[in-house]
Amino acid sequence: MEKLTNWFNEKFIPATMAFGELKYLKALRDGMIVAVPLTFIGSIFLILSNLPIPGWYDTIAPISKQLGVMSSVTIGLTGLVMAIGLGYQVSKLNEIDPLSGTAIVVICYVITMLTPEFEVDPGLWGSGGIFSAIIVSIVAAEIMRFFYKHKITIKLPSSVPPAVFNSFAALIPASVAIFFFWLVRVGLNVDINTLINSMFAPLVFGLNSIWGVLIMTLLTCVLWMVGIHGNNAIGWIATPVWTAALTANMEAFAAGQPAPYLIADGFGNFGMNIGGTGAIMGLSFCMCFLSKSERYKTLGKIAFPPTIFQISEPVMFGFPVVLNPIIGIPFIIAPLVLQAMTYFLMSAGWIGHVVASVPWTCPPIINGFLLTGGDWRAALWSGIQVVLAILIYYPFFKACDRRALKEEREEAVENSEENTASNEVLFEH
């Protein structure tokens, strides 16, 4: 056991942290965030267009096309938006003028997404183009970096305004990058987007299985247990896949078709993220309402309100959960059990699939209703999960609570004896 612990601390954790800090992984993490507000906006209009209220469709029929525009221009252009965000981030990391670099990446992306007739079709710039946005931004950035690094650029006097200087400096790198993608897509007639999607297919398949989601959940919780932000450390693996799945589900939902993916971005709100990573609301509830020790009762009053909005740090480091072998057991078990149960409920069609995006601070029950496009059964299941999380945490919390209560009583007795001794000394004097 000691050898395993040493290997984990000396090899696995440093390797995970170093890998997560690689240049293009940082660009991926920061560049994809730009699409998050747009999916929120698109989700609002998507839900408004599909509220499960009798007669609702007839009520909004006169403005249904207008409402659909908002979801089309947000959700339907996710791939393009990510190409913009990734282009900006990779340009900054490669010390390329961000404006020029972003523009070049976007042009390369548009060329990549041409139809078989070599026509521009914005309808392809949604979920099906997310993986291409990732690869195109990296390849285009590397081509440009090579030319900038070896100073193969048009040189102008320093007196030239910076905007003009940067534009001309980017001319040769831009020409080569754009020509490269033109040659592959048009000259050689290679369907780059289809090729890239086929490369990602095994990862997509794995992360949309019960084992894929459970392994990601387990690794995230284990990393948190040793003080590493597991969501950030390994989230980059699943984020592109689950974001693409969510976008595809949203597009299908808007078209009135079944959602193609069971696991998508937001699935973690059904178990993993109830109150924060590790279904931590179960623990904060126990502290706030079921604690007998003053230590945990006081902490619970402070920590429980934030967990309603998925903020877990007060519990994570205040209890603490980190490096706590007792509470670490339910911290890992609770999300695994709840995620597995959600998977099978969705597979059986008893609750709807994730078809919308909500802010990560959205409370349980409400987020279950919104994530599934207004499925009351999902909201009910989200509430049941809160109860199950409390039940899973309770026996382990009581063990900690009893120990804390015992320590408080012993401390009170010691303080009482010290005060008595002090009073006796004063009385003698």
Side-chain angles (χ1 to χ4, degrees), residues 332-369:
I332 294 174
I333 290 176
L336 289 175
V337 170
L338 297 177
Q339 297 270 245
M341 293 175 72
T342 300
Y343 182 91
F344 289 113
L345 286 174
M346 287 187 177
S347 298
W350 291 354
I351 62 175
H353 292 196
V354 176
V355 294
S357 176
V358 300
W360 64 272
T361 52
C362 189
I365 301 176
I366 297 174
N367 65 18
F369 180 79

PDB file of all heavy atoms in Angstrom, residues 332-369:
ATOM      1  N   ILE A 332     -16.293   9.466  -2.994  1.00  0.00           N
ATOM      2  CA  ILE A 332     -16.091   8.733  -4.245  1.00  0.00           C
ATOM      3  C   ILE A 332     -17.309   7.870  -4.586  1.00  0.00           C
ATOM      4  O   ILE A 332     -17.748   7.811  -5.737  1.00  0.00           O
ATOM      5  CB  ILE A 332     -14.822   7.856  -4.150  1.00  0.00           C
ATOM      6  CG1 ILE A 332     -13.575   8.752  -4.050  1.00  0.00           C
ATOM      7  CG2 ILE A 332     -14.718   6.928  -5.350  1.00  0.00           C
ATOM      8  CD1 ILE A 332     -12.282   7.994  -3.807  1.00  0.00           C
ATOM      9  N   ILE A 333     -17.877   7.227  -3.568  1.00  0.00           N
ATOM     10  CA  ILE A 333     -18.988   6.291  -3.811  1.00  0.00           C
ATOM     11  C   ILE A 333     -20.245   7.016  -4.285  1.00  0.00           C
ATOM     12  O   ILE A 333     -20.910   6.581  -5.233  1.00  0.00           O
ATOM     13  CB  ILE A 333     -19.294   5.475  -2.542  1.00  0.00           C
ATOM     14  CG1 ILE A 333     -18.167   4.483  -2.270  1.00  0.00           C
ATOM     15  CG2 ILE A 333     -20.621   4.727  -2.692  1.00  0.00           C
ATOM     16  CD1 ILE A 333     -18.347   3.695  -0.988  1.00  0.00           C
ATOM     17  N   ALA A 334     -20.594   8.119  -3.640  1.00  0.00           N
ATOM     18  CA  ALA A 334     -21.857   8.811  -3.943  1.00  0.00           C
ATOM     19  C   ALA A 334     -21.976   9.201  -5.415  1.00  0.00           C
ATOM     20  O   ALA A 334     -22.972   8.851  -6.073  1.00  0.00           O
ATOM     21  CB  ALA A 334     -22.017  10.037  -3.047  1.00  0.00           C
ATOM     22  N   PRO A 335     -21.001   9.908  -5.993  1.00  0.00           N
ATOM     23  CA  PRO A 335     -21.147  10.267  -7.409  1.00  0.00           C
ATOM     24  C   PRO A 335     -21.149   9.068  -8.343  1.00  0.00           C
ATOM     25  O   PRO A 335     -21.852   9.067  -9.354  1.00  0.00           O
ATOM     26  CB  PRO A 335     -19.951  11.190  -7.682  1.00  0.00           C
ATOM     27  CG  PRO A 335     -18.986  10.924  -6.605  1.00  0.00           C
ATOM     28  CD  PRO A 335     -19.797  10.526  -5.411  1.00  0.00           C
ATOM     29  N   LEU A 336     -20.363   8.023  -8.011  1.00  0.00           N
ATOM     30  CA  LEU A 336     -20.340   6.835  -8.865  1.00  0.00           C
ATOM     31  C   LEU A 336     -21.708   6.159  -8.894  1.00  0.00           C
ATOM     32  O   LEU A 336     -22.215   5.796  -9.962  1.00  0.00           O
ATOM     33  CB  LEU A 336     -19.281   5.850  -8.368  1.00  0.00           C
ATOM     34  CG  LEU A 336     -17.815   6.232  -8.579  1.00  0.00           C
ATOM     35  CD1 LEU A 336     -16.900   5.212  -7.914  1.00  0.00           C
ATOM     36  CD2 LEU A 336     -17.483   6.353 -10.062  1.00  0.00           C
ATOM     37  N   VAL A 337     -22.323   6.007  -7.724  1.00  0.00           N
ATOM     38  CA  VAL A 337     -23.635   5.360  -7.639  1.00  0.00           C
ATOM     39  C   VAL A 337     -24.693   6.201  -8.350  1.00  0.00           C
ATOM     40  O   VAL A 337     -25.492   5.672  -9.146  1.00  0.00           O
ATOM     41  CB  VAL A 337     -24.028   5.142  -6.163  1.00  0.00           C
ATOM     42  CG1 VAL A 337     -25.486   4.704  -6.050  1.00  0.00           C
ATOM     43  CG2 VAL A 337     -23.114   4.109  -5.512  1.00  0.00           C
ATOM     44  N   LEU A 338     -24.702   7.504  -8.091  1.00  0.00           N
ATOM     45  CA  LEU A 338     -25.736   8.373  -8.654  1.00  0.00           C
ATOM     46  C   LEU A 338     -25.590   8.526 -10.171  1.00  0.00           C
ATOM     47  O   LEU A 338     -26.585   8.565 -10.897  1.00  0.00           O
ATOM     48  CB  LEU A 338     -25.691   9.745  -7.977  1.00  0.00           C
ATOM     49  CG  LEU A 338     -25.991   9.730  -6.472  1.00  0.00           C
ATOM     50  CD1 LEU A 338     -25.855  11.123  -5.882  1.00  0.00           C
ATOM     51  CD2 LEU A 338     -27.375   9.171  -6.200  1.00  0.00           C
ATOM     52  N   GLN A 339     -24.348   8.604 -10.655  1.00  0.00           N
ATOM     53  CA  GLN A 339     -24.141   8.704 -12.103  1.00  0.00           C
ATOM     54  C   GLN A 339     -24.569   7.424 -12.804  1.00  0.00           C
ATOM     55  O   GLN A 339     -25.185   7.469 -13.873  1.00  0.00           O
ATOM     56  CB  GLN A 339     -22.657   8.993 -12.400  1.00  0.00           C
ATOM     57  CG  GLN A 339     -22.153  10.310 -11.861  1.00  0.00           C
ATOM     58  CD  GLN A 339     -22.305  11.463 -12.847  1.00  0.00           C
ATOM     59  OE1 GLN A 339     -21.340  12.039 -13.311  1.00  0.00           O
ATOM     60  NE2 GLN A 339     -23.526  11.796 -13.178  1.00  0.00           N
ATOM     61  N   ALA A 340     -24.254   6.278 -12.194  1.00  0.00           N
ATOM     62  CA  ALA A 340     -24.642   4.997 -12.789  1.00  0.00           C
ATOM     63  C   ALA A 340     -26.159   4.857 -12.838  1.00  0.00           C
ATOM     64  O   ALA A 340     -26.727   4.411 -13.849  1.00  0.00           O
ATOM     65  CB  ALA A 340     -24.026   3.845 -11.998  1.00  0.00           C
ATOM     66  N   MET A 341     -26.830   5.243 -11.768  1.00  0.00           N
ATOM     67  CA  MET A 341     -28.292   5.157 -11.737  1.00  0.00           C
ATOM     68  C   MET A 341     -28.917   6.086 -12.786  1.00  0.00           C
ATOM     69  O   MET A 341     -29.885   5.714 -13.453  1.00  0.00           O
ATOM     70  CB  MET A 341     -28.799   5.514 -10.338  1.00  0.00           C
ATOM     71  CG  MET A 341     -28.404   4.510  -9.267  1.00  0.00           C
ATOM     72  SD  MET A 341     -28.885   5.021  -7.594  1.00  0.00           S
ATOM     73  CE  MET A 341     -30.666   4.799  -7.697  1.00  0.00           C
ATOM     74  N   THR A 342     -28.344   7.271 -12.940  1.00  0.00           N
ATOM     75  CA  THR A 342     -28.845   8.209 -13.950  1.00  0.00           C
ATOM     76  C   THR A 342     -28.684   7.638 -15.353  1.00  0.00           C
ATOM     77  O   THR A 342     -29.578   7.757 -16.193  1.00  0.00           O
ATOM     78  CB  THR A 342     -28.093   9.556 -13.852  1.00  0.00           C
ATOM     79  OG1 THR A 342     -28.295  10.107 -12.551  1.00  0.00           O
ATOM     80  CG2 THR A 342     -28.604  10.540 -14.897  1.00  0.00           C
ATOM     81  N   TYR A 343     -27.538   7.022 -15.596  1.00  0.00           N
ATOM     82  CA  TYR A 343     -27.276   6.428 -16.912  1.00  0.00           C
ATOM     83  C   TYR A 343     -28.362   5.410 -17.264  1.00  0.00           C
ATOM     84  O   TYR A 343     -28.902   5.425 -18.375  1.00  0.00           O
ATOM     85  CB  TYR A 343     -25.904   5.762 -16.909  1.00  0.00           C
ATOM     86  CG  TYR A 343     -25.512   5.157 -18.237  1.00  0.00           C
ATOM     87  CD1 TYR A 343     -24.816   5.896 -19.181  1.00  0.00           C
ATOM     88  CD2 TYR A 343     -25.844   3.836 -18.550  1.00  0.00           C
ATOM     89  CE1 TYR A 343     -24.458   5.349 -20.405  1.00  0.00           C
ATOM     90  CE2 TYR A 343     -25.489   3.281 -19.765  1.00  0.00           C
ATOM     91  CZ  TYR A 343     -24.800   4.033 -20.686  1.00  0.00           C
ATOM     92  OH  TYR A 343     -24.457   3.488 -21.901  1.00  0.00           O
ATOM     93  N   PHE A 344     -28.688   4.543 -16.323  1.00  0.00           N
ATOM     94  CA  PHE A 344     -29.673   3.502 -16.618  1.00  0.00           C
ATOM     95  C   PHE A 344     -31.097   4.061 -16.705  1.00  0.00           C
ATOM     96  O   PHE A 344     -31.909   3.576 -17.496  1.00  0.00           O
ATOM     97  CB  PHE A 344     -29.587   2.392 -15.569  1.00  0.00           C
ATOM     98  CG  PHE A 344     -28.340   1.560 -15.692  1.00  0.00           C
ATOM     99  CD1 PHE A 344     -27.368   1.592 -14.708  1.00  0.00           C
ATOM    100  CD2 PHE A 344     -28.120   0.768 -16.818  1.00  0.00           C
ATOM    101  CE1 PHE A 344     -26.206   0.847 -14.831  1.00  0.00           C
ATOM    102  CE2 PHE A 344     -26.963   0.012 -16.962  1.00  0.00           C
ATOM    103  CZ  PHE A 344     -26.005   0.055 -15.961  1.00  0.00           C
ATOM    104  N   LEU A 345     -31.400   5.086 -15.943  1.00  0.00           N
ATOM    105  CA  LEU A 345     -32.717   5.721 -16.041  1.00  0.00           C
ATOM    106  C   LEU A 345     -32.895   6.394 -17.401  1.00  0.00           C
ATOM    107  O   LEU A 345     -33.971   6.328 -18.004  1.00  0.00           O
ATOM    108  CB  LEU A 345     -32.898   6.743 -14.915  1.00  0.00           C
ATOM    109  CG  LEU A 345     -33.132   6.174 -13.513  1.00  0.00           C
ATOM    110  CD1 LEU A 345     -33.142   7.293 -12.484  1.00  0.00           C
ATOM    111  CD2 LEU A 345     -34.442   5.393 -13.458  1.00  0.00           C
ATOM    112  N   MET A 346     -31.838   7.054 -17.874  1.00  0.00           N
ATOM    113  CA  MET A 346     -31.909   7.686 -19.194  1.00  0.00           C
ATOM    114  C   MET A 346     -31.960   6.629 -20.293  1.00  0.00           C
ATOM    115  O   MET A 346     -32.682   6.788 -21.283  1.00  0.00           O
ATOM    116  CB  MET A 346     -30.710   8.621 -19.411  1.00  0.00           C
ATOM    117  CG  MET A 346     -30.773   9.906 -18.626  1.00  0.00           C
ATOM    118  SD  MET A 346     -29.437  11.051 -19.081  1.00  0.00           S
ATOM    119  CE  MET A 346     -29.843  12.461 -18.055  1.00  0.00           C
ATOM    120  N   SER A 347     -31.203   5.556 -20.110  1.00  0.00           N
ATOM    121  CA  SER A 347     -31.209   4.482 -21.103  1.00  0.00           C
ATOM    122  C   SER A 347     -32.599   3.866 -21.233  1.00  0.00           C
ATOM    123  O   SER A 347     -33.038   3.509 -22.335  1.00  0.00           O
ATOM    124  CB  SER A 347     -30.203   3.392 -20.715  1.00  0.00           C
ATOM    125  OG  SER A 347     -28.900   3.883 -20.685  1.00  0.00           O
ATOM    126  N   ALA A 348     -33.291   3.761 -20.115  1.00  0.00           N
ATOM    127  CA  ALA A 348     -34.629   3.168 -20.121  1.00  0.00           C
ATOM    128  C   ALA A 348     -35.703   4.152 -20.576  1.00  0.00           C
ATOM    129  O   ALA A 348     -36.857   3.756 -20.759  1.00  0.00           O
ATOM    130  CB  ALA A 348     -34.967   2.653 -18.723  1.00  0.00           C
ATOM    131  N   GLY A 349     -35.319   5.417 -20.743  1.00  0.00           N
ATOM    132  CA  GLY A 349     -36.285   6.423 -21.177  1.00  0.00           C
ATOM    133  C   GLY A 349     -37.170   6.936 -20.057  1.00  0.00           C
ATOM    134  O   GLY A 349     -38.193   7.575 -20.311  1.00  0.00           O
ATOM    135  N   TRP A 350     -36.786   6.699 -18.800  1.00  0.00           N
ATOM    136  CA  TRP A 350     -37.599   7.153 -17.672  1.00  0.00           C
ATOM    137  C   TRP A 350     -37.363   8.625 -17.354  1.00  0.00           C
ATOM    138  O   TRP A 350     -38.204   9.262 -16.731  1.00  0.00           O
ATOM    139  CB  TRP A 350     -37.319   6.292 -16.442  1.00  0.00           C
ATOM    140  CG  TRP A 350     -37.838   4.894 -16.602  1.00  0.00           C
ATOM    141  CD1 TRP A 350     -38.589   4.411 -17.643  1.00  0.00           C
ATOM    142  CD2 TRP A 350     -37.650   3.796 -15.709  1.00  0.00           C
ATOM    143  NE1 TRP A 350     -38.880   3.093 -17.452  1.00  0.00           N
ATOM    144  CE2 TRP A 350     -38.312   2.669 -16.269  1.00  0.00           C
ATOM    145  CE3 TRP A 350     -36.997   3.632 -14.497  1.00  0.00           C
ATOM    146  CZ2 TRP A 350     -38.331   1.432 -15.669  1.00  0.00           C
ATOM    147  CZ3 TRP A 350     -37.015   2.388 -13.888  1.00  0.00           C
ATOM    148  CH2 TRP A 350     -37.669   1.303 -14.468  1.00  0.00           C
ATOM    149  N   ILE A 351     -36.203   9.151 -17.729  1.00  0.00           N
ATOM    150  CA  ILE A 351     -35.968  10.596 -17.660  1.00  0.00           C
ATOM    151  C   ILE A 351     -35.319  11.026 -18.974  1.00  0.00           C
ATOM    152  O   ILE A 351     -34.687  10.212 -19.655  1.00  0.00           O
ATOM    153  CB  ILE A 351     -35.072  10.995 -16.461  1.00  0.00           C
ATOM    154  CG1 ILE A 351     -33.682  10.357 -16.566  1.00  0.00           C
ATOM    155  CG2 ILE A 351     -35.729  10.645 -15.145  1.00  0.00           C
ATOM    156  CD1 ILE A 351     -32.732  10.827 -15.481  1.00  0.00           C
ATOM    157  N   GLY A 352     -35.499  12.287 -19.323  1.00  0.00           N
ATOM    158  CA  GLY A 352     -35.003  12.770 -20.604  1.00  0.00           C
ATOM    159  C   GLY A 352     -33.495  12.928 -20.637  1.00  0.00           C
ATOM    160  O   GLY A 352     -32.824  12.968 -19.601  1.00  0.00           O
ATOM    161  N   HIS A 353     -32.952  13.020 -21.841  1.00  0.00           N
ATOM    162  CA  HIS A 353     -31.529  13.255 -22.034  1.00  0.00           C
ATOM    163  C   HIS A 353     -31.207  14.732 -21.834  1.00  0.00           C
ATOM    164  O   HIS A 353     -32.096  15.592 -21.862  1.00  0.00           O
ATOM    165  CB  HIS A 353     -31.116  12.840 -23.446  1.00  0.00           C
ATOM    166  CG  HIS A 353     -31.190  11.359 -23.677  1.00  0.00           C
ATOM    167  ND1 HIS A 353     -30.582  10.747 -24.739  1.00  0.00           N
ATOM    168  CD2 HIS A 353     -31.790  10.367 -22.985  1.00  0.00           C
ATOM    169  CE1 HIS A 353     -30.816   9.442 -24.699  1.00  0.00           C
ATOM    170  NE2 HIS A 353     -31.550   9.193 -23.635  1.00  0.00           N
ATOM    171  N   VAL A 354     -29.937  15.017 -21.671  1.00  0.00           N
ATOM    172  CA  VAL A 354     -29.488  16.404 -21.536  1.00  0.00           C
ATOM    173  C   VAL A 354     -29.553  17.072 -22.907  1.00  0.00           C
ATOM    174  O   VAL A 354     -28.885  16.642 -23.853  1.00  0.00           O
ATOM    175  CB  VAL A 354     -28.050  16.466 -20.979  1.00  0.00           C
ATOM    176  CG1 VAL A 354     -27.559  17.908 -20.934  1.00  0.00           C
ATOM    177  CG2 VAL A 354     -27.986  15.847 -19.594  1.00  0.00           C
ATOM    178  N   VAL A 355     -30.361  18.120 -23.015  1.00  0.00           N
ATOM    179  CA  VAL A 355     -30.550  18.795 -24.310  1.00  0.00           C
ATOM    180  C   VAL A 355     -30.392  20.305 -24.187  1.00  0.00           C
ATOM    181  O   VAL A 355     -30.713  21.053 -25.117  1.00  0.00           O
ATOM    182  CB  VAL A 355     -31.943  18.483 -24.905  1.00  0.00           C
ATOM    183  CG1 VAL A 355     -32.057  17.008 -25.259  1.00  0.00           C
ATOM    184  CG2 VAL A 355     -33.060  18.897 -23.950  1.00  0.00           C
ATOM    185  N   ALA A 356     -29.901  20.784 -23.053  1.00  0.00           N
ATOM    186  CA  ALA A 356     -29.740  22.222 -22.857  1.00  0.00           C
ATOM    187  C   ALA A 356     -28.534  22.468 -21.966  1.00  0.00           C
ATOM    188  O   ALA A 356     -28.023  21.557 -21.305  1.00  0.00           O
ATOM    189  CB  ALA A 356     -31.001  22.831 -22.236  1.00  0.00           C
ATOM    190  N   SER A 357     -28.081  23.707 -21.962  1.00  0.00           N
ATOM    191  CA  SER A 357     -26.946  24.111 -21.136  1.00  0.00           C
ATOM    192  C   SER A 357     -27.438  25.097 -20.088  1.00  0.00           C
ATOM    193  O   SER A 357     -28.210  25.998 -20.399  1.00  0.00           O
ATOM    194  CB  SER A 357     -25.863  24.750 -22.005  1.00  0.00           C
ATOM    195  OG  SER A 357     -24.789  25.221 -21.220  1.00  0.00           O
ATOM    196  N   VAL A 358     -26.988  24.914 -18.851  1.00  0.00           N
ATOM    197  CA  VAL A 358     -27.373  25.834 -17.779  1.00  0.00           C
ATOM    198  C   VAL A 358     -26.106  26.284 -17.065  1.00  0.00           C
ATOM    199  O   VAL A 358     -25.082  25.595 -17.094  1.00  0.00           O
ATOM    200  CB  VAL A 358     -28.334  25.172 -16.769  1.00  0.00           C
ATOM    201  CG1 VAL A 358     -29.600  24.706 -17.447  1.00  0.00           C
ATOM    202  CG2 VAL A 358     -27.665  24.014 -16.035  1.00  0.00           C
ATOM    203  N   PRO A 359     -26.124  27.456 -16.411  1.00  0.00           N
ATOM    204  CA  PRO A 359     -24.953  27.895 -15.634  1.00  0.00           C
ATOM    205  C   PRO A 359     -24.605  26.865 -14.569  1.00  0.00           C
ATOM    206  O   PRO A 359     -25.498  26.246 -13.973  1.00  0.00           O
ATOM    207  CB  PRO A 359     -25.427  29.216 -14.998  1.00  0.00           C
ATOM    208  CG  PRO A 359     -26.529  29.693 -15.872  1.00  0.00           C
ATOM    209  CD  PRO A 359     -27.207  28.458 -16.393  1.00  0.00           C
ATOM    210  N   TRP A 360     -23.305  26.693 -14.306  1.00  0.00           N
ATOM    211  CA  TRP A 360     -22.883  25.652 -13.369  1.00  0.00           C
ATOM    212  C   TRP A 360     -23.353  25.943 -11.947  1.00  0.00           C
ATOM    213  O   TRP A 360     -23.388  25.049 -11.100  1.00  0.00           O
ATOM    214  CB  TRP A 360     -21.366  25.487 -13.396  1.00  0.00           C
ATOM    215  CG  TRP A 360     -20.582  26.679 -12.927  1.00  0.00           C
ATOM    216  CD1 TRP A 360     -20.158  27.731 -13.684  1.00  0.00           C
ATOM    217  CD2 TRP A 360     -20.116  26.937 -11.591  1.00  0.00           C
ATOM    218  NE1 TRP A 360     -19.469  28.634 -12.903  1.00  0.00           N
ATOM    219  CE2 TRP A 360     -19.416  28.166 -11.621  1.00  0.00           C
ATOM    220  CE3 TRP A 360     -20.220  26.250 -10.385  1.00  0.00           C
ATOM    221  CZ2 TRP A 360     -18.833  28.731 -10.492  1.00  0.00           C
ATOM    222  CZ3 TRP A 360     -19.637  26.813  -9.245  1.00  0.00           C
ATOM    223  CH2 TRP A 360     -18.947  28.035  -9.309  1.00  0.00           C
ATOM    224  N   THR A 361     -23.763  27.178 -11.664  1.00  0.00           N
ATOM    225  CA  THR A 361     -24.240  27.528 -10.327  1.00  0.00           C
ATOM    226  C   THR A 361     -25.737  27.266 -10.147  1.00  0.00           C
ATOM    227  O   THR A 361     -26.289  27.556  -9.091  1.00  0.00           O
ATOM    228  CB  THR A 361     -23.972  29.014 -10.050  1.00  0.00           C
ATOM    229  OG1 THR A 361     -24.500  29.805 -11.131  1.00  0.00           O
ATOM    230  CG2 THR A 361     -22.486  29.294  -9.924  1.00  0.00           C
ATOM    231  N   CYS A 362     -26.392  26.725 -11.146  1.00  0.00           N
ATOM    232  CA  CYS A 362     -27.832  26.464 -11.058  1.00  0.00           C
ATOM    233  C   CYS A 362     -28.098  25.364 -10.022  1.00  0.00           C
ATOM    234  O   CYS A 362     -27.472  24.309 -10.068  1.00  0.00           O
ATOM    235  CB  CYS A 362     -28.368  26.040 -12.421  1.00  0.00           C
ATOM    236  SG  CYS A 362     -30.174  25.953 -12.498  1.00  0.00           S
ATOM    237  N   PRO A 363     -29.009  25.591  -9.069  1.00  0.00           N
ATOM    238  CA  PRO A 363     -29.259  24.622  -7.991  1.00  0.00           C
ATOM    239  C   PRO A 363     -29.837  23.309  -8.512  1.00  0.00           C
ATOM    240  O   PRO A 363     -30.459  23.254  -9.580  1.00  0.00           O
ATOM    241  CB  PRO A 363     -30.284  25.337  -7.099  1.00  0.00           C
ATOM    242  CG  PRO A 363     -30.163  26.777  -7.436  1.00  0.00           C
ATOM    243  CD  PRO A 363     -29.804  26.817  -8.895  1.00  0.00           C
ATOM    244  N   PRO A 364     -29.646  22.220  -7.746  1.00  0.00           N
ATOM    245  CA  PRO A 364     -30.271  20.938  -8.092  1.00  0.00           C
ATOM    246  C   PRO A 364     -31.780  21.079  -8.196  1.00  0.00           C
ATOM    247  O   PRO A 364     -32.361  22.015  -7.665  1.00  0.00           O
ATOM    248  CB  PRO A 364     -29.869  20.024  -6.922  1.00  0.00           C
ATOM    249  CG  PRO A 364     -28.640  20.643  -6.354  1.00  0.00           C
ATOM    250  CD  PRO A 364     -28.799  22.119  -6.536  1.00  0.00           C
ATOM    251  N   ILE A 365     -32.411  20.152  -8.840  1.00  0.00           N
ATOM    252  CA  ILE A 365     -33.848  20.124  -9.136  1.00  0.00           C
ATOM    253  C   ILE A 365     -34.161  21.098 -10.265  1.00  0.00           C
ATOM    254  O   ILE A 365     -34.692  20.707 -11.311  1.00  0.00           O
ATOM    255  CB  ILE A 365     -34.734  20.419  -7.905  1.00  0.00           C
ATOM    256  CG1 ILE A 365     -34.455  19.387  -6.798  1.00  0.00           C
ATOM    257  CG2 ILE A 365     -36.210  20.384  -8.311  1.00  0.00           C
ATOM    258  CD1 ILE A 365     -35.214  19.645  -5.510  1.00  0.00           C
ATOM    259  N   ILE A 366     -33.800  22.378 -10.071  1.00  0.00           N
ATOM    260  CA  ILE A 366     -34.017  23.362 -11.143  1.00  0.00           C
ATOM    261  C   ILE A 366     -33.167  22.990 -12.350  1.00  0.00           C
ATOM    262  O   ILE A 366     -33.639  23.004 -13.494  1.00  0.00           O
ATOM    263  CB  ILE A 366     -33.690  24.790 -10.664  1.00  0.00           C
ATOM    264  CG1 ILE A 366     -34.636  25.202  -9.535  1.00  0.00           C
ATOM    265  CG2 ILE A 366     -33.785  25.786 -11.822  1.00  0.00           C
ATOM    266  CD1 ILE A 366     -34.298  26.538  -8.914  1.00  0.00           C
ATOM    267  N   ASN A 367     -31.878  22.671 -12.098  1.00  0.00           N
ATOM    268  CA  ASN A 367     -31.014  22.348 -13.241  1.00  0.00           C
ATOM    269  C   ASN A 367     -31.439  21.040 -13.902  1.00  0.00           C
ATOM    270  O   ASN A 367     -31.302  20.862 -15.108  1.00  0.00           O
ATOM    271  CB  ASN A 367     -29.533  22.331 -12.858  1.00  0.00           C
ATOM    272  CG  ASN A 367     -29.154  21.246 -11.878  1.00  0.00           C
ATOM    273  OD1 ASN A 367     -29.878  20.271 -11.689  1.00  0.00           O
ATOM    274  ND2 ASN A 367     -28.016  21.410 -11.225  1.00  0.00           N
ATOM    275  N   GLY A 368     -31.980  20.093 -13.114  1.00  0.00           N
ATOM    276  CA  GLY A 368     -32.478  18.856 -13.718  1.00  0.00           C
ATOM    277  C   GLY A 368     -33.618  19.119 -14.679  1.00  0.00           C
ATOM    278  O   GLY A 368     -33.713  18.495 -15.747  1.00  0.00           O
ATOM    279  N   PHE A 369     -34.496  20.039 -14.301  1.00  0.00           N
ATOM    280  CA  PHE A 369     -35.630  20.401 -15.153  1.00  0.00           C
ATOM    281  C   PHE A 369     -35.155  21.102 -16.425  1.00  0.00           C
ATOM    282  O   PHE A 369     -35.591  20.769 -17.540  1.00  0.00           O
ATOM    283  CB  PHE A 369     -36.575  21.320 -14.371  1.00  0.00           C
ATOM    284  CG  PHE A 369     -37.789  21.768 -15.141  1.00  0.00           C
ATOM    285  CD1 PHE A 369     -38.884  20.922 -15.291  1.00  0.00           C
ATOM    286  CD2 PHE A 369     -37.844  23.024 -15.722  1.00  0.00           C
ATOM    287  CE1 PHE A 369     -40.008  21.329 -15.996  1.00  0.00           C
ATOM    288  CE2 PHE A 369     -38.961  23.436 -16.429  1.00  0.00           C
ATOM    289  CZ  PHE A 369     -40.042  22.591 -16.566  1.00  0.00           C
TER     290      PHE A 369
END
